[in-house]
Every structure is written in C-alpha cells, then in structure tokens.
Amino acid sequence: MSGYGLSEDQVELAGLVRSFADEVVAPVSYEADRTKTLPMDVVAQMGDMGLFGLPFPEEVGGQGGDYVTLGLAIEALARVDQSIAITLEAGVSLGAMPIFRFGTDAQREEHLPDLLAGRALAGFGLTEPEAGSDAGATRTTARPDGGEWVIDGAKQFITNSGTPITRFVTVTAVTGEPGSATREISTIIVPSGTPGFTVGPAYDKVGWHASDTHPLVFTGARVPEGNLLGERGRGFANFLHILDEGRIAIAALATGAAEGCLEAAVDYAKSRVVFGESVGSRQAIQFMLARMQQRVHVSRLAWLHAARLRDAGLPFKTEAAIAKLTSSDAAMDNARDATQIFGGNGFMNEYPVARHFRDSKILEVGEGTTEVQLLLIARSLGLA
C-alpha cells in the first residue's frame, strides 16, 4: 500500500485487516458461500476489532477514523470475500451512518453504541419493485395516527435486514397527504419484530451468497412518531447524501475484488505449467495481468481521492460516481480475465476467482447502476 499517501496508522490498519481476512475470513468463505450463510462469528470478530465504528467520532463510540480508513478495511476484506465486505459496508454506510447524520440525540444514544461495536446491524429500506434507480417513485406510505406512524408497503434487496443481530431497518416512505402536488418522502426507523413488519425469505442470488439480503413487507406496521429519522419530508434528500458516501465505500470494495482476482491470477500463472512452461511466461498472459494491475491501481486512486475530498468537507459527488464507475468496471474485467487465466479451474466454485466472477456483477448495479454514474458525471459537465 505504499505510494498512496497513507498515514502510518492507516497502513497499519490496512495490514491488520488484510491479515484478518487471510487468516480468519478466507478459510470459511467457501463454506459460507456454499451454504449461503453469513458467518456471525466473523461479524462478531469484526466488531471486536472496531471495524463498524471506524469513521465515527470517539464521543459517540466510534474509532475516530475517517472514510479513507473505512475504505481500506473494506478493500482488504473484499480481496477474499465480498459478502463479508458488503456486510461491513452496509452496516456502516446504510445502517449506522443515517442515525449518526440525521438522528436525534435520543436516537443516537439508543442505537449507535451497539451498531458501532458490531453488536447490532441495521438495514436501509429504499428499493421497491417500482422504485430502484427512480427512488423518488417510492410507494410505501406512512400516515400519522394517534401518535404513531402506520406503515404500508414493500421493499426489496435489503442488506443486513434479517440477521440474528438486526436491530431495525430505516425505510423511506411517502408521508405527505394523498393527492398533494409534491411527494413528501421521509425516513422512519422500524424495529425488528414490529407487528405488521415481515422479513421475507432470503433471496436466491447469483452472488454475494453469504450476504444477508431479504424483501420486506409492511402491513399496518405501527411505530412511534418519534421514530422519524431526520426532518419530515427530507428523507429522499438525506438518502442521496448517504448514497454518495456509500459509493466511495462500494468503490473500495470493488477495488479489493479486482485486487483479489489479480493476486490469485498471478499466483496461478506462476505455478501452472503448460507445455513445459509456466502460464505466466507467456507474453499474452503477462499483458493480461499487467492490465489487471493497472485497473487496481487506478481504482484505488479514484476511491482514495473521493474519500479524501469527503473527509476534508469538500464536494465529492462527481468523484464518488467516477470512483464507483471505474472500480466496478475493474472488478468485472479482472474477474473475467482471472477466470480465463485459470481456464477450467476458474469455472469451479472452490477457487476464489469463480466466486469473484459471480459476485462482481452486482457492483455494476447496487448503490447506483453504471448508467446512473454516467448520468451523474454527465450532469457535472452541464450536459443534463
């Protein structure tokens, strides 16, 4: 990790998480993927290491780090297991960060200690069957009634929403009057176990098998009016800010995936002998590996730049989009090339490159599709 302008503490943290990934996460990744089970003992160890509290101030129970530090941890984990990396990313960016950014003092005091210690997880319910990239088309509703919000609707593809330690989900819902000229969207905290709140069976996904992902249904679910998160009617705007930060973390995850593919492909190219020579002695393979290294390097520069802008309090929306676009492309391209270098073995799930091949596609979709990133970048150029 030299040459990226990191502090000694950041280099040390990256090395610590890298060792944890190699020694603790990697040995159980194949079985977790095969059985589609999130290894909760690994999550607990991540909590003990303070990873869920990395970018939060010490006064609220965090580690006093920044988004660069969080990205380094996510990248190190994603090298060996994207499911574990997305559990951390979503736990911070979509679970704890909305509470920290927009919560009341009481909400912070109630939820942050356990979230930042990894003793609890939370999900963020935005996506719906008719509201994905067009998040403003939210159909879930929340109406006030007798000091409570009554919530009706459905969400889909919600990460960390059904684990044994999931404490709540924060959902976007239309809170304005029916038929009003403007759509008022707010965010509301819904605790796990709330009557009328149902967590559906886990999805049968192409990848990220060990990541916890469920559909959610709300049928007359009632929560106190005090569970409103942030200002009423600011839910959509607040979420967009959270999503911008999340794209930096996803870019770090994608960079880690691209790096994991590179490392595996280099090792295989050196050891695999064909026609009396190592595969890596062939110039065509060398050029392929060189391209893979180029993608990792450029992706890391992109997400680090966006994270540093964010940490400095400077605008970073466009840079986050560029980082997410660049790194998700890199992850997919490196997964494809690594699988090709492995040949038939690359098609076997026992090899990490096969898992990266399946896992990486969602990086071009989740937290803003490739097309959304292109639209955001075009808008920054004054073209849309």
Side-chain angles (χ1 to χ4, degrees):
M1 294 297 290
S2 63
Y4 293 97
L6 302 175
S7 69
E8 290 184 7
D9 288 344
Q10 289 170 336
V11 172
E12 182 180 357
L13 182 280
L16 179 66
V17 181
R18 188 183 183 95
S19 296
F20 173 77
D22 290 338
E23 297 167 10
V24 177
V25 180
V28 301
S29 291
Y30 172 72
E31 189 65 14
D33 181 81
R34 188 186 68 81
T35 60
K36 302 180 179 180
T37 304
L38 178 63
M40 296 307 299
D41 58 331
V42 173
V43 175
Q45 291 181 68
M46 289 161 58
D48 292 340
M49 293 172 66
L51 300 188
F52 288 95
L54 279 176
F56 300 94
E58 293 179 3
E59 54 263 32
V60 297
Q63 300 299 310
D66 51 26
Y67 235 67
V68 169
T69 308
L70 173 65
L72 292 171
I74 291 172
E75 181 184 313
L77 292 171
R79 289 171 42 255
V80 302
D81 192 330
Q82 291 187 45
S83 288
I84 288 296
I86 193 59
T87 300
L88 173 61
E89 189 280 331
V92 173
S93 298
L94 301 179
M97 192 60 73
I99 302 296
F100 173 71
R101 289 283 186 209
F102 312 115
T104 63
D105 289 342
Q107 289 169 342
R108 286 183 172 194
E109 291 173 4
E110 179 181 0
H111 298 299
L112 286 184
D114 285 343
L115 291 175
L116 304 195
R119 294 188 294 267
L121 292 171
F124 196 101
L126 174 78
T127 303
E128 300 181 1
E130 301 299 327
S133 296
D134 182 14
T138 297
R139 294 186 178 181
T140 296
T141 61
R143 59 180 177 83
D145 181 61
E148 296 180 314
W149 292 105
V150 183
I151 305 170
D152 291 281
K155 302 290 181 178
Q156 63 182 13
F157 312 145
I158 310 305
T159 305
N160 292 346
S161 58
T163 76
I165 60 172
T166 297
R167 186 70 53 82
F168 63 88
V169 296
T170 303
V171 299
T172 53
V174 178
T175 51
E177 294 296 327
S180 61
T182 58
R183 302 190 82 243
E184 178 187 279
I185 297 178
S186 305
T187 47
I188 300 173
I189 299 169
V190 184
S192 299
T194 297
F197 168 30
T198 303
V199 178
Y203 288 103
D204 184 11
K205 298 171 293 188
V206 170
W208 283 4
H209 284 168
S211 170
D212 180 83
T213 320
H214 298 264
L216 312 177
V217 177
F218 303 90
T219 308
R222 288 179 171 267
V223 300
E225 283 190 348
N227 282 27
L228 179 71
L229 180 62
E231 183 181 345
R232 178 170 173 171
R234 292 286 300 170
F236 183 59
N238 290 345
F239 171 78
L240 291 180
H241 180 81
I242 292 295
L243 193 60
D244 287 337
E245 291 185 337
R247 284 172 182 148
I248 299 174
I250 289 292
L253 191 159
T255 301
E259 183 181 14
C261 290
L262 171 64
E263 291 175 353
V266 168
D267 288 345
Y268 190 83
K270 290 178 178 179
S271 62
R272 173 64 168 166
V273 176
V274 178
F275 299 116
E277 296 180 330
S278 69
V279 170
S281 68
R282 305 303 174 93
Q283 191 176 67
I285 301 299
Q286 293 172 4
F287 284 1
M288 191 179 295
L289 291 168
R291 290 288 189 190
M292 293 172 70
Q293 169 65 6
Q294 173 195 16
R295 294 174 193 133
V296 172
H297 179 65
V298 173
S299 296
R300 184 175 292 128
L301 289 174
W303 82 252
L304 280 171
H305 177 57
R308 285 169 174 151
L309 289 175
R310 181 266 185 198
D311 289 339
L314 298 173
F316 63 91
K317 187 181 187 73
T318 300
E319 289 77 10
I322 291 172
K324 206 270 185 179
L325 175 66
T326 300
S327 60
S328 59
D329 284 348
M332 273 302 296
D333 289 343
N334 276 17
R336 182 192 63 245
D337 286 350
T339 301
Q340 191 70 19
I341 290 171
F342 269 69
N345 286 330
F347 204 61
M348 301 296 113
N349 280 328
E350 66 188 90
Y351 289 91
V353 296
R355 190 167 66 247
H356 278 305
F357 189 85
R358 290 186 285 104
D359 288 349
S360 293
K361 179 57 193 175
I362 191 59
L363 296 170
E364 297 181 317
V365 178
E367 295 211 31
T369 64
T370 292
E371 292 72 24
V372 167
Q373 308 315 309
L374 291 169
L375 177 60
L376 292 172
I377 297 167
R379 284 177 178 171
S380 74
L381 298 172
L383 300 176

PDB file of all heavy atoms in Angstrom, residues 231-256:
ATOM      1  N   GLU A 231     -35.552  15.348   9.475  1.00  0.00           N
ATOM      2  CA  GLU A 231     -36.697  16.226   9.269  1.00  0.00           C
ATOM      3  C   GLU A 231     -37.733  15.585   8.346  1.00  0.00           C
ATOM      4  O   GLU A 231     -37.381  14.949   7.350  1.00  0.00           O
ATOM      5  CB  GLU A 231     -36.205  17.547   8.659  1.00  0.00           C
ATOM      6  CG  GLU A 231     -37.260  18.592   8.445  1.00  0.00           C
ATOM      7  CD  GLU A 231     -36.702  19.854   7.808  1.00  0.00           C
ATOM      8  OE1 GLU A 231     -35.463  20.013   7.807  1.00  0.00           O
ATOM      9  OE2 GLU A 231     -37.504  20.663   7.293  1.00  0.00           O
ATOM     10  N   ARG A 232     -38.997  15.729   8.691  1.00  0.00           N
ATOM     11  CA  ARG A 232     -40.058  15.198   7.837  1.00  0.00           C
ATOM     12  C   ARG A 232     -39.972  15.833   6.451  1.00  0.00           C
ATOM     13  O   ARG A 232     -39.803  17.049   6.312  1.00  0.00           O
ATOM     14  CB  ARG A 232     -41.423  15.480   8.463  1.00  0.00           C
ATOM     15  CG  ARG A 232     -42.596  15.007   7.605  1.00  0.00           C
ATOM     16  CD  ARG A 232     -43.907  15.091   8.347  1.00  0.00           C
ATOM     17  NE  ARG A 232     -45.028  14.794   7.463  1.00  0.00           N
ATOM     18  CZ  ARG A 232     -46.289  14.621   7.864  1.00  0.00           C
ATOM     19  NH1 ARG A 232     -46.587  14.710   9.165  1.00  0.00           N
ATOM     20  NH2 ARG A 232     -47.253  14.352   6.996  1.00  0.00           N
ATOM     21  N   GLY A 233     -40.078  14.994   5.419  1.00  0.00           N
ATOM     22  CA  GLY A 233     -40.013  15.467   4.045  1.00  0.00           C
ATOM     23  C   GLY A 233     -38.607  15.556   3.487  1.00  0.00           C
ATOM     24  O   GLY A 233     -38.438  15.834   2.293  1.00  0.00           O
ATOM     25  N   ARG A 234     -37.582  15.297   4.327  1.00  0.00           N
ATOM     26  CA  ARG A 234     -36.191  15.366   3.867  1.00  0.00           C
ATOM     27  C   ARG A 234     -35.590  13.979   3.658  1.00  0.00           C
ATOM     28  O   ARG A 234     -34.391  13.851   3.406  1.00  0.00           O
ATOM     29  CB  ARG A 234     -35.343  16.119   4.891  1.00  0.00           C
ATOM     30  CG  ARG A 234     -35.650  17.593   5.022  1.00  0.00           C
ATOM     31  CD  ARG A 234     -35.119  18.375   3.830  1.00  0.00           C
ATOM     32  NE  ARG A 234     -33.662  18.229   3.709  1.00  0.00           N
ATOM     33  CZ  ARG A 234     -32.976  18.650   2.658  1.00  0.00           C
ATOM     34  NH1 ARG A 234     -33.601  19.195   1.628  1.00  0.00           N
ATOM     35  NH2 ARG A 234     -31.660  18.512   2.612  1.00  0.00           N
ATOM     36  N   GLY A 235     -36.423  12.966   3.717  1.00  0.00           N
ATOM     37  CA  GLY A 235     -35.909  11.610   3.632  1.00  0.00           C
ATOM     38  C   GLY A 235     -35.188  11.308   2.339  1.00  0.00           C
ATOM     39  O   GLY A 235     -34.113  10.694   2.338  1.00  0.00           O
ATOM     40  N   PHE A 236     -35.743  11.740   1.219  1.00  0.00           N
ATOM     41  CA  PHE A 236     -35.132  11.451  -0.077  1.00  0.00           C
ATOM     42  C   PHE A 236     -33.816  12.198  -0.225  1.00  0.00           C
ATOM     43  O   PHE A 236     -32.795  11.636  -0.637  1.00  0.00           O
ATOM     44  CB  PHE A 236     -36.093  11.812  -1.208  1.00  0.00           C
ATOM     45  CG  PHE A 236     -35.577  11.475  -2.573  1.00  0.00           C
ATOM     46  CD1 PHE A 236     -35.245  10.174  -2.899  1.00  0.00           C
ATOM     47  CD2 PHE A 236     -35.426  12.457  -3.543  1.00  0.00           C
ATOM     48  CE1 PHE A 236     -34.759   9.853  -4.165  1.00  0.00           C
ATOM     49  CE2 PHE A 236     -34.951  12.147  -4.806  1.00  0.00           C
ATOM     50  CZ  PHE A 236     -34.617  10.844  -5.106  1.00  0.00           C
ATOM     51  N   ALA A 237     -33.796  13.469   0.137  1.00  0.00           N
ATOM     52  CA  ALA A 237     -32.572  14.271   0.032  1.00  0.00           C
ATOM     53  C   ALA A 237     -31.485  13.716   0.947  1.00  0.00           C
ATOM     54  O   ALA A 237     -30.305  13.638   0.563  1.00  0.00           O
ATOM     55  CB  ALA A 237     -32.870  15.731   0.382  1.00  0.00           C
ATOM     56  N   ASN A 238     -31.873  13.344   2.166  1.00  0.00           N
ATOM     57  CA  ASN A 238     -30.894  12.788   3.097  1.00  0.00           C
ATOM     58  C   ASN A 238     -30.320  11.478   2.575  1.00  0.00           C
ATOM     59  O   ASN A 238     -29.116  11.208   2.704  1.00  0.00           O
ATOM     60  CB  ASN A 238     -31.534  12.559   4.463  1.00  0.00           C
ATOM     61  CG  ASN A 238     -31.839  13.856   5.187  1.00  0.00           C
ATOM     62  OD1 ASN A 238     -31.336  14.918   4.818  1.00  0.00           O
ATOM     63  ND2 ASN A 238     -32.664  13.776   6.218  1.00  0.00           N
ATOM     64  N   PHE A 239     -31.176  10.656   1.976  1.00  0.00           N
ATOM     65  CA  PHE A 239     -30.694   9.390   1.444  1.00  0.00           C
ATOM     66  C   PHE A 239     -29.681   9.614   0.323  1.00  0.00           C
ATOM     67  O   PHE A 239     -28.689   8.882   0.222  1.00  0.00           O
ATOM     68  CB  PHE A 239     -31.845   8.530   0.925  1.00  0.00           C
ATOM     69  CG  PHE A 239     -31.357   7.315   0.186  1.00  0.00           C
ATOM     70  CD1 PHE A 239     -30.889   6.212   0.889  1.00  0.00           C
ATOM     71  CD2 PHE A 239     -31.325   7.283  -1.192  1.00  0.00           C
ATOM     72  CE1 PHE A 239     -30.389   5.108   0.216  1.00  0.00           C
ATOM     73  CE2 PHE A 239     -30.829   6.174  -1.868  1.00  0.00           C
ATOM     74  CZ  PHE A 239     -30.369   5.087  -1.162  1.00  0.00           C
ATOM     75  N   LEU A 240     -29.903  10.591  -0.526  1.00  0.00           N
ATOM     76  CA  LEU A 240     -28.975  10.848  -1.628  1.00  0.00           C
ATOM     77  C   LEU A 240     -27.590  11.177  -1.086  1.00  0.00           C
ATOM     78  O   LEU A 240     -26.569  10.774  -1.662  1.00  0.00           O
ATOM     79  CB  LEU A 240     -29.489  11.984  -2.510  1.00  0.00           C
ATOM     80  CG  LEU A 240     -30.746  11.670  -3.326  1.00  0.00           C
ATOM     81  CD1 LEU A 240     -31.145  12.888  -4.161  1.00  0.00           C
ATOM     82  CD2 LEU A 240     -30.535  10.457  -4.222  1.00  0.00           C
ATOM     83  N   HIS A 241     -27.535  11.919   0.018  1.00  0.00           N
ATOM     84  CA  HIS A 241     -26.244  12.225   0.629  1.00  0.00           C
ATOM     85  C   HIS A 241     -25.583  10.952   1.145  1.00  0.00           C
ATOM     86  O   HIS A 241     -24.378  10.736   0.941  1.00  0.00           O
ATOM     87  CB  HIS A 241     -26.427  13.217   1.778  1.00  0.00           C
ATOM     88  CG  HIS A 241     -25.145  13.584   2.459  1.00  0.00           C
ATOM     89  ND1 HIS A 241     -24.278  14.522   1.945  1.00  0.00           N
ATOM     90  CD2 HIS A 241     -24.571  13.126   3.605  1.00  0.00           C
ATOM     91  CE1 HIS A 241     -23.227  14.638   2.743  1.00  0.00           C
ATOM     92  NE2 HIS A 241     -23.386  13.794   3.768  1.00  0.00           N
ATOM     93  N   ILE A 242     -26.363  10.107   1.802  1.00  0.00           N
ATOM     94  CA  ILE A 242     -25.837   8.835   2.301  1.00  0.00           C
ATOM     95  C   ILE A 242     -25.337   7.983   1.144  1.00  0.00           C
ATOM     96  O   ILE A 242     -24.283   7.331   1.230  1.00  0.00           O
ATOM     97  CB  ILE A 242     -26.915   8.086   3.104  1.00  0.00           C
ATOM     98  CG1 ILE A 242     -27.223   8.827   4.415  1.00  0.00           C
ATOM     99  CG2 ILE A 242     -26.498   6.642   3.384  1.00  0.00           C
ATOM    100  CD1 ILE A 242     -26.066   8.880   5.386  1.00  0.00           C
ATOM    101  N   LEU A 243     -26.064   7.983   0.046  1.00  0.00           N
ATOM    102  CA  LEU A 243     -25.693   7.168  -1.109  1.00  0.00           C
ATOM    103  C   LEU A 243     -24.385   7.641  -1.724  1.00  0.00           C
ATOM    104  O   LEU A 243     -23.571   6.829  -2.177  1.00  0.00           O
ATOM    105  CB  LEU A 243     -26.807   7.204  -2.157  1.00  0.00           C
ATOM    106  CG  LEU A 243     -26.727   6.177  -3.291  1.00  0.00           C
ATOM    107  CD1 LEU A 243     -26.746   4.770  -2.734  1.00  0.00           C
ATOM    108  CD2 LEU A 243     -27.879   6.374  -4.265  1.00  0.00           C
ATOM    109  N   ASP A 244     -24.164   8.956  -1.758  1.00  0.00           N
ATOM    110  CA  ASP A 244     -22.901   9.478  -2.283  1.00  0.00           C
ATOM    111  C   ASP A 244     -21.726   8.917  -1.488  1.00  0.00           C
ATOM    112  O   ASP A 244     -20.718   8.490  -2.057  1.00  0.00           O
ATOM    113  CB  ASP A 244     -22.884  11.006  -2.227  1.00  0.00           C
ATOM    114  CG  ASP A 244     -23.790  11.647  -3.271  1.00  0.00           C
ATOM    115  OD1 ASP A 244     -24.084  10.993  -4.280  1.00  0.00           O
ATOM    116  OD2 ASP A 244     -24.204  12.807  -3.068  1.00  0.00           O
ATOM    117  N   GLU A 245     -21.832   8.939  -0.154  1.00  0.00           N
ATOM    118  CA  GLU A 245     -20.775   8.377   0.675  1.00  0.00           C
ATOM    119  C   GLU A 245     -20.634   6.874   0.447  1.00  0.00           C
ATOM    120  O   GLU A 245     -19.519   6.349   0.365  1.00  0.00           O
ATOM    121  CB  GLU A 245     -21.071   8.639   2.152  1.00  0.00           C
ATOM    122  CG  GLU A 245     -20.975  10.089   2.566  1.00  0.00           C
ATOM    123  CD  GLU A 245     -21.163  10.286   4.051  1.00  0.00           C
ATOM    124  OE1 GLU A 245     -21.776   9.414   4.708  1.00  0.00           O
ATOM    125  OE2 GLU A 245     -20.693  11.327   4.558  1.00  0.00           O
ATOM    126  N   GLY A 246     -21.773   6.200   0.332  1.00  0.00           N
ATOM    127  CA  GLY A 246     -21.748   4.759   0.130  1.00  0.00           C
ATOM    128  C   GLY A 246     -21.057   4.354  -1.149  1.00  0.00           C
ATOM    129  O   GLY A 246     -20.433   3.279  -1.215  1.00  0.00           O
ATOM    130  N   ARG A 247     -21.128   5.202  -2.164  1.00  0.00           N
ATOM    131  CA  ARG A 247     -20.469   4.866  -3.431  1.00  0.00           C
ATOM    132  C   ARG A 247     -18.954   4.828  -3.288  1.00  0.00           C
ATOM    133  O   ARG A 247     -18.275   4.063  -3.977  1.00  0.00           O
ATOM    134  CB  ARG A 247     -20.889   5.869  -4.506  1.00  0.00           C
ATOM    135  CG  ARG A 247     -22.291   5.606  -5.026  1.00  0.00           C
ATOM    136  CD  ARG A 247     -22.801   6.682  -5.943  1.00  0.00           C
ATOM    137  NE  ARG A 247     -24.170   6.360  -6.357  1.00  0.00           N
ATOM    138  CZ  ARG A 247     -25.104   7.244  -6.619  1.00  0.00           C
ATOM    139  NH1 ARG A 247     -24.834   8.539  -6.523  1.00  0.00           N
ATOM    140  NH2 ARG A 247     -26.304   6.858  -6.981  1.00  0.00           N
ATOM    141  N   ILE A 248     -18.420   5.653  -2.396  1.00  0.00           N
ATOM    142  CA  ILE A 248     -16.983   5.589  -2.140  1.00  0.00           C
ATOM    143  C   ILE A 248     -16.636   4.236  -1.531  1.00  0.00           C
ATOM    144  O   ILE A 248     -15.656   3.580  -1.924  1.00  0.00           O
ATOM    145  CB  ILE A 248     -16.556   6.724  -1.194  1.00  0.00           C
ATOM    146  CG1 ILE A 248     -16.864   8.089  -1.814  1.00  0.00           C
ATOM    147  CG2 ILE A 248     -15.065   6.607  -0.874  1.00  0.00           C
ATOM    148  CD1 ILE A 248     -16.597   9.258  -0.875  1.00  0.00           C
ATOM    149  N   ALA A 249     -17.422   3.806  -0.554  1.00  0.00           N
ATOM    150  CA  ALA A 249     -17.165   2.529   0.108  1.00  0.00           C
ATOM    151  C   ALA A 249     -17.330   1.360  -0.864  1.00  0.00           C
ATOM    152  O   ALA A 249     -16.548   0.397  -0.826  1.00  0.00           O
ATOM    153  CB  ALA A 249     -18.104   2.366   1.300  1.00  0.00           C
ATOM    154  N   ILE A 250     -18.334   1.429  -1.738  1.00  0.00           N
ATOM    155  CA  ILE A 250     -18.511   0.378  -2.741  1.00  0.00           C
ATOM    156  C   ILE A 250     -17.341   0.370  -3.714  1.00  0.00           C
ATOM    157  O   ILE A 250     -16.888  -0.689  -4.163  1.00  0.00           O
ATOM    158  CB  ILE A 250     -19.841   0.573  -3.497  1.00  0.00           C
ATOM    159  CG1 ILE A 250     -21.023   0.242  -2.584  1.00  0.00           C
ATOM    160  CG2 ILE A 250     -19.890  -0.302  -4.753  1.00  0.00           C
ATOM    161  CD1 ILE A 250     -21.126  -1.224  -2.207  1.00  0.00           C
ATOM    162  N   ALA A 251     -16.812   1.540  -4.051  1.00  0.00           N
ATOM    163  CA  ALA A 251     -15.646   1.620  -4.932  1.00  0.00           C
ATOM    164  C   ALA A 251     -14.443   0.952  -4.280  1.00  0.00           C
ATOM    165  O   ALA A 251     -13.655   0.262  -4.948  1.00  0.00           O
ATOM    166  CB  ALA A 251     -15.336   3.075  -5.267  1.00  0.00           C
ATOM    167  N   ALA A 252     -14.279   1.141  -2.966  1.00  0.00           N
ATOM    168  CA  ALA A 252     -13.196   0.465  -2.256  1.00  0.00           C
ATOM    169  C   ALA A 252     -13.402  -1.045  -2.275  1.00  0.00           C
ATOM    170  O   ALA A 252     -12.447  -1.821  -2.453  1.00  0.00           O
ATOM    171  CB  ALA A 252     -13.126   0.976  -0.820  1.00  0.00           C
ATOM    172  N   LEU A 253     -14.644  -1.479  -2.084  1.00  0.00           N
ATOM    173  CA  LEU A 253     -14.964  -2.905  -2.138  1.00  0.00           C
ATOM    174  C   LEU A 253     -14.623  -3.477  -3.511  1.00  0.00           C
ATOM    175  O   LEU A 253     -13.989  -4.541  -3.618  1.00  0.00           O
ATOM    176  CB  LEU A 253     -16.444  -3.114  -1.803  1.00  0.00           C
ATOM    177  CG  LEU A 253     -16.938  -4.538  -1.541  1.00  0.00           C
ATOM    178  CD1 LEU A 253     -18.235  -4.513  -0.737  1.00  0.00           C
ATOM    179  CD2 LEU A 253     -17.155  -5.323  -2.827  1.00  0.00           C
ATOM    180  N   ALA A 254     -15.027  -2.777  -4.568  1.00  0.00           N
ATOM    181  CA  ALA A 254     -14.759  -3.251  -5.928  1.00  0.00           C
ATOM    182  C   ALA A 254     -13.261  -3.306  -6.202  1.00  0.00           C
ATOM    183  O   ALA A 254     -12.768  -4.214  -6.889  1.00  0.00           O
ATOM    184  CB  ALA A 254     -15.456  -2.344  -6.934  1.00  0.00           C
ATOM    185  N   THR A 255     -12.519  -2.329  -5.674  1.00  0.00           N
ATOM    186  CA  THR A 255     -11.067  -2.345  -5.834  1.00  0.00           C
ATOM    187  C   THR A 255     -10.469  -3.575  -5.172  1.00  0.00           C
ATOM    188  O   THR A 255      -9.573  -4.232  -5.726  1.00  0.00           O
ATOM    189  CB  THR A 255     -10.450  -1.066  -5.229  1.00  0.00           C
ATOM    190  OG1 THR A 255     -10.991   0.079  -5.889  1.00  0.00           O
ATOM    191  CG2 THR A 255      -8.934  -1.065  -5.390  1.00  0.00           C
ATOM    192  N   GLY A 256     -10.958  -3.898  -3.973  1.00  0.00           N
ATOM    193  CA  GLY A 256     -10.491  -5.097  -3.297  1.00  0.00           C
ATOM    194  C   GLY A 256     -10.791  -6.360  -4.090  1.00  0.00           C
ATOM    195  O   GLY A 256      -9.959  -7.274  -4.167  1.00  0.00           O
TER     196      GLY A 256
END
